[in-house]
Amino acid sequence: MKIDYQLKLHLGDPDGNHSLKRRSTKYSNVIAKKLDIIIEELHVARVDWIKIDVEGSEHEALEGLREILKRYRPKII
């Protein structure tokens, strides 16, 4: 299982709107990790809510939450 991923984060205006999907000429390489793995590493006992704001990468975010969704059945905002 791959733990860390290197992704290209395309930079939006100074206030945000950065995206993994929307292309721009400015970008930054970032390291990402699935939330499933982070929750396990931190020994979190319970997950009730998850807020997602990922600028078009909802599918990828939910894939990284697969085990959390099955185990804890949190509400998603």
Side-chain angles (χ1 to χ4, degrees):
M1 171 186 2
K2 190 170 185 178
I3 294 177
D4 293 329
Y5 298 85
Q6 185 168 358
L7 304 174
K8 190 178 285 189
L9 180 65
H10 295 272
L11 305 176
D13 58 52
D15 295 328
N17 297 319
H18 310 313
S19 175
L20 296 174
K21 300 265 180 159
R22 191 173 354 130
R23 302 289 184 231
S24 70
T25 56
K26 295 182 182 178
Y27 65 88
S28 181
N29 291 317
V30 297
I31 302 296
K33 187 180 284 192
K34 290 182 178 185
L35 197 53
D36 280 340
I37 294 169
I38 294 170
I39 293 297
E40 182 180 326
E41 288 176 348
L42 294 176
H43 306 288
V44 173
R46 184 173 155 174
V47 177
D48 295 320
W49 295 87
I50 297 174
K51 169 148 181 352
I52 299 175
D53 182 9
V54 292
E55 301 296 329
S57 297
E58 288 80 4
H59 176 75
E60 291 83 353
L62 291 171
E63 283 292 326
L65 296 168
R66 187 178 295 255
E67 293 304 314
I68 292 169
L69 296 174
K70 281 195 272 188
R71 182 173 184 188
Y72 302 105
R73 299 180 138 351
K75 298 207 180 342
I76 299 177
I77 300 171

